Structure formats: structure tokens, C-alpha cells
């Protein structure tokens, strides 16, 4: 059978440790037999990052800007222990941080659902995607410890030298104080990524903030989202039959819990930090969480939400078999291939992405899975069989 082809290459970013091993197996067993892969390859493994003084990471980010679609393997963010282990020239920053800064993007995390692994909230039958605004607020704030009685003010100095002062608090004794900010540019980029993502997923977009209390600050998020919706996205949303909704964050949380899922939830930085861990846990497993970085101008970088699974890698290196879950990495590949298919109106490629995801889900649902899932799996009449990573990939390939 002829392999599926496409025009524009996908940016392929190889990574580290166990996920680096899975990466090659996924290509060999699941993708290359059916698709004539055309990628621009960047090795973001720690060895190559060190050899190139991290230039390779910047080049990969620029390549995503140029080619529009990328797929990334998990990578080590080095600490001092890694510096010694890999004999590094210096402590390189997180590749995800570098690429996010180049693309100015927002990260969307979506759980992969299978029958037999029931969320802690059983009514969540469709995935909830969290979009976390990854700039500013308490993550870039100035904290001050106040030791004694004092008058605290916010001071704003304009470019023309004019000074404005705003009262914060008259301290009668010790306490704490915090100054934080965000920018219209960053909030707008976040909003645009969210509107684009929800439109492409054909799901409703929700935004929740506390604008009743934080009238100016949270009010700015609400206003920027509302403006963008009215001026740029409304007619496309109406045509797609989806909605944009703003609610107070407390009401939003209550409604999410009561819902069946199936929406994109835009969160301010802190809310997204907290809620994404809650969602990942509630849906079952970090190894079943997919992740995509979307830039405001519509470039996509797909990856798994988990790390390089170091403990399994050390076992693998010692010659032992491991049962490491490749599902989120498979979905990173299917996401990138589908997106490339969409951009070229390539039905065969989009169909392959759908088939690959369905074969993966059905393999698990029929009782064949990796060890982490076998611990969670419960379905009447099916005893879960724990496979090693390669056998699991082969089982998917057979079904595919
Ligand atoms: P991790 O690699 O996600 O693994 C933590 C633990 O979760 C594993 O030891 C394993 O538990 C379980 N797990 C995660 N993914 C799994 C999978 N696919 N299949 C089976 N079990 C899985 O996180 P970490 O150990 O904190 O970090 C390891 C390295 O990854 C670090 O160097 C870090 O810098 C990097 N990291 C990269 C990214 C990224 O590139 N996006 C994200 C996070 C971390 P058991 O050992 O109990 O089986
Ligand atoms: Mg967190």
C-alpha cells in the first residue's frame, strides 16, 4: 500500500531518556509503516543542547514559526545534579520556556479519555481542556514584608515624569504587601490563542475571573476577551455553533463540577496552575494528558504533559523491560499530523490521525495496556493485561 504523503514538513523535536526511546519506537511501529514522514529534525536531547550551547532549541522555536506545526518529545530541564550527570557547560533553561517565549503561546492541556478508567468525577464524560495564562500576576510580583506601622502606596511614574500615588494600606503593625501586574499585550495574545483553539476544537470557551472584587485588574481580562470576541470571532463562533461565555470564577468552578465536560476553560495564571493539577488528577493519570502550545498567530506545538520518566529509563538502561505509557506521546504525533492535514486539506492524513487515536484507545479498552493504567482499569468482564512498552505499541499497530 502506498504511504500517505504531505507537502510541508513538521518540526520534529527529539528529547531525553525514556521518552526519547519511546519516540523512536512510536515512529517505527505506528507511523512510518503508513506515513511518508517529512520532518525538519531538531535534537533537543541534553547532549545536543550542550554541544550547540542551546542554539538548537532556539532554532526549533523559529522553525515552528516558519512551518506552523511541531511535535516535541519530553526534555530534561537540567538542575545541578543533571549538570554533573551530563557534564554540562552550564544550566540551560527549560526548552519549553524558551519555545514558549519565541511563540508567545498559551499551553492547552486535555485529558485522553478511555472507558475503564473513570474520572473521580464520573459525570465528566468529555474532556475539559485547561488553558493557563502563563505570564504575570503573582508569578512576577514584588513581595514586601512590613515590619512595623507604615503607610503603603502604589507609585506610578509616567514617561513624562508625572507621578501618581495610590493608597494601599495604613499598617498599624507588621504584615505583608504585594505589587503585581499584567499587560494588555499578553492578555490579548492569551485571549486570541484561546479563541483560536476553541474554534479549532469546536468547543465552547469559558473564562472565569473575580471581576466583582478585582474590578480593574480582572475586569481588564473580561473586557479584552469581550472585545476580541465581538470584533473578531463572533461570526466564526456562531457559524461553528459554539459559544464564548464569561462567568465569575466561583460560579465557573461550580458549573464545571456539575458539567459533563467538553469545554475549553481559560484560566488566569494562578487559577490555571491549581486547576490543571486538579483536572489531571481527577481524570486519572498524568501519562494520559496531552498538551499543545498555541501561538496567537496560529502556530501549534504538540507534546505530552509528563516528563522524561527518568526512573523507567534507568531500568531500561540496565537492560530491564519497562511498561512506560506512550499514549500522550502518540497523541502528540497524531495532533501534529492532523493539524498538518487540516492546513493542506489532506483527508488521508487527518484520517490516519483519527485512526491512530482510535486504535490506541480501543487497545486499552479491550484490556491491553501499560502498568500504570492496569492499576486504574476497571471494566466488567475484562481483566487488564499489563504489557511492556513495545508489546503495547505492537498491539496498537495490529489494530491500526
Ligand atoms: P515524569 O517524567 O513525568 O515522571 C514522574 C513519575 O510519573 C514517573 O516516575 C512515573 O511514576 C510516572 N509517569 C510519568 N509519565 C509516565 C508514563 N508515560 N508512563 C508511566 N509512568 C509515568 O516527571 P519527573 O520525574 O518529575 O521528571 C523527569 C524529568 O522530566 C526531569 O528532568 C524534568 O526536567 C523533565 N520534565 C520535562 C517536561 C517536559 O519536557 N514537558 C515536563 C516535566 C518534567 P513511577 O516511577 O512511579 O512509575
Ligand atoms: Mg502547578
Amino acid at each position: 500500500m502506498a504511504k500517505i504523503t504531505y507537502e510541508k514538513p513538521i518540526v520534529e523535536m527529539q528529547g531525553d531518556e525514556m521518552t526519547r526511546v519511546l519516540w523512536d519506537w512510536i515512529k517505527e511501529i505506528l507511523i512510518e509503516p503508513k506515513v511518508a514522514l517529512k520532518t525538519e529534525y531538531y535534537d533537543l536531547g541534553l547532549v545536543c543542547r550542550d554541544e550547540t550551547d542551546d542554539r538548537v532549541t532556539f532554532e526549533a522555536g523559529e522553525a515552528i514559526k516558519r512551518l506552523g506545526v511541531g511535535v516535541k518529545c519530553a526534555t530534561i530541564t537540567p538542575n545541578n545534579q543533571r549538570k554533573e550527570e551530563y557534564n554540562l557547560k552550564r544550566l540551560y533553561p527549560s526548552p519549553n520556556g524558551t519555545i514558549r517565549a519565541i511563540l508567545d503561546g498559551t499551553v492547552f492541556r486535555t485529558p485522553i479519555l478511555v472507558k475503564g478508567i473513570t474520572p473521580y468525577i464520573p459525570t465528566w464524560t468529555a474532556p475539559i481542556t485547561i488553558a493557563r495564562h502563563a505570564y504575570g500576576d503573582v508569578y512576577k510580583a514584588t513581595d514586601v514584608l512590613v515590619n512595623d506601622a507604615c503607610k503603603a502606596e502604589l507609585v506610578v511614574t509616567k514617561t513624562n515624569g508625572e507621578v501618581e500615588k495610590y493608597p494601599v494600606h495604613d499598617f498599624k503593625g507588621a504584615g505583608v504587601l504585594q505589587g503585581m501586574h499584567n499587560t494588555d499585550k499578553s492578555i490579548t495574545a492569551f485571549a486570541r490563542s484561546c479563541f483560536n483553539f476553541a474554534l479549532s476544537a469546536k468547543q465552547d470557551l469559558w473564562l472565569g475571573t473575580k471581576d466583582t472584587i478585582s474590578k480593574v485588574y480582572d475586569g481588564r481580562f473580561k473586557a479584552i476577551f469581550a472585545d476580541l470576541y465581538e470584533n473578531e470571532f463572533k461570526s466564526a463562533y456562531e457559524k461553528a455553533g459554539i459559544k464564548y461565555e464569561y462567568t465569575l470564577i466561583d460560579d465557573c468552578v461550580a458549573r464545571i463540577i456539575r458539567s459533563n465536560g467538553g469545554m475549553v476553560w481559560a484560566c488566569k495564571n494562578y487559577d490555571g496552575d491549581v486547576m490543571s493539577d486538579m483536572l489531571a488528577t481527577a481524570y486519572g493519570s498524568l501519562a494520559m494528558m496531552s498538551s499543545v502550545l498555541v501561538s496567537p498567530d496560529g502556530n501549534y506545538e504538540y507534546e505530552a504533559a509528563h516528563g522524561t520518566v527518568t526512573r523507567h529509563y534507568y531500568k531500561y538502561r540496565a537492560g530491564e523491560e519497562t511498561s512506560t505509557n506512550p499514549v500522550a506521546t502518540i497523541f502528540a504525533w497524531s495532533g501534529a499530523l492532523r493539524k498538518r492535514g487540516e492546513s493542506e486539506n489532506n483527508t488521508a492524513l487527518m484520517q490516519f490521525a483519527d485512526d491512530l487515536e482510535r486504535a490506541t484507545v480501543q487497545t486499552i479498552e479491550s484490556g491491553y495496556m501499560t502498568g500504570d493504567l492496569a492499576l486504574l482499569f476497571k471494566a466488567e468482564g475484562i481483566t487488564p493485561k499489563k504489557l511492556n512498552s513495545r508489546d503495547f505499541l505492537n498491539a496498537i499497530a495490529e489494530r491500526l
Side-chain angles (χ1 to χ4, degrees), residues 132 273-274 276-277:
R132 173 182 170 188
D273 187 348
V274 176
S276 62
D277 279 19

Side-chain angles (χ1 to χ4, degrees), residues 179-233:
M180 64 175 187
H181 79 284
N182 225 298
T183 66
D184 278 14
K185 181 168 177 268
S186 176
I187 301 167
T188 306
F190 172 59
R192 183 167 276 116
S193 297
C194 289
F195 279 116
N196 276 326
F197 181 93
L199 185 59
S200 127
K202 296 202 173 44
Q203 288 177 333
D204 291 349
L205 176 65
W206 292 20
L207 169 70
T209 76
K210 194 74 185 174
D211 72 301
T212 43
I213 301 299
S214 175
K215 289 188 169 60
V216 174
Y217 200 110
D218 283 15
R220 196 73 197 132
F221 282 78
K222 182 182 178 181
I224 287 174
F225 270 74
D227 278 358
L228 205 59
Y229 181 65
E230 284 302 319
N231 297 324
E232 280 185 41
F233 286 95

Side-chain angles (χ1 to χ4, degrees), residues 72 74-75 77 82 96 303 306-312 325:
K72 179 181 167 291
T75 45
T77 300
R82 298 296 201 168
N96 291 50
E303 65 163 349
H306 60 76
T308 58
V309 212
T310 310
R311 207 179 61 84
H312 294 216
N325 188 337

Side-chain angles (χ1 to χ4, degrees), residues 10-15 20 23-24 27 39-44 56:
I10 289 169
V11 182
E12 173 182 353
M13 289 157 278
Q14 175 59 297
R20 186 181 182 95
W23 189 264
D24 290 336
K27 281 167 59 184
T39 69
E40 217 176 275
Y41 180 87
Y42 294 86
D43 186 354
L44 301 196
V56 66

Side-chain angles (χ1 to χ4, degrees), residues 63-289:
I64 300 171
K65 259 180 150 169
R66 178 163 39 82
L67 297 171
V69 181
V71 56
K72 179 181 167 291
C73 178
T75 45
I76 292 170
T77 300
N79 52 19
N80 282 319
Q81 182 226 322
R82 298 296 201 168
K83 191 168 173 233
E84 235 164 76
E85 184 184 352
Y86 283 82
N87 196 17
L88 300 176
K89 287 183 259 176
R90 61 185 173 94
L91 280 184
Y92 301 97
S94 144
N96 291 50
T98 301
I99 293 170
R100 193 161 64 215
I102 292 170
L103 294 179
D104 189 16
T106 299
V107 174
F108 295 83
R109 286 189 160 189
T110 310
I112 299 153
L113 302 192
V114 297
K115 287 192 206 90
I117 295 171
T118 312
Y120 285 95
I121 296 175
T123 45
W124 284 357
T125 48
I128 297 168
T129 296
I130 284 248
R132 173 182 170 188
H133 183 211
Y135 177 81
D137 303 351
V138 286
Y139 300 85
K140 237 180 161 43
T142 304
D143 278 6
V144 179
L145 194 62
V146 169
N147 291 319
D148 218 333
C150 64
K151 185 167 137 188
E153 291 172 311
L154 266 179
V155 180
V156 178
T157 311
K158 301 190 175 173
T159 41
N160 65 7
E162 223 176 90
V163 172
E164 287 173 0
K165 284 188 183 173
Y166 302 90
V168 176
H169 190 64
D170 273 326
F171 283 92
K172 306 285 181 251
V176 280
L177 181 63
Q178 183 172 65
M180 64 175 187
H181 79 284
N182 225 298
T183 66
D184 278 14
K185 181 168 177 268
S186 176
I187 301 167
T188 306
F190 172 59
R192 183 167 276 116
S193 297
C194 289
F195 279 116
N196 276 326
F197 181 93
L199 185 59
S200 127
K202 296 202 173 44
Q203 288 177 333
D204 291 349
L205 176 65
W206 292 20
L207 169 70
T209 76
K210 194 74 185 174
D211 72 301
T212 43
I213 301 299
S214 175
K215 289 188 169 60
V216 174
Y217 200 110
D218 283 15
R220 196 73 197 132
F221 282 78
K222 182 182 178 181
I224 287 174
F225 270 74
D227 278 358
L228 205 59
Y229 181 65
E230 284 302 319
N231 297 324
E232 280 185 41
F233 286 95
K234 195 172 178 184
S235 68
Y237 269 52
E238 283 170 358
K239 220 156 82 207
I242 55 173
K243 283 183 303 195
Y244 164 63
E245 266 192 79
Y246 175 84
T247 56
L248 271 178
I249 185 73
D250 359 14
D251 180 45
C252 195
V253 169
R255 287 176 53 199
I256 290 271
I257 296 290
R258 285 198 306 268
S259 79
N260 298 121
M263 71 287 286
V264 179
W265 182 9
C267 289
K268 285 181 62 197
N269 210 348
Y270 174 82
D271 298 338
D273 187 348
V274 176
M275 291 304 166
S276 62
D277 279 19
M278 185 196 71
L279 256 105
T281 310
Y283 273 111
S285 161
L286 193 60
M288 297 292 279
M289 190 59 92

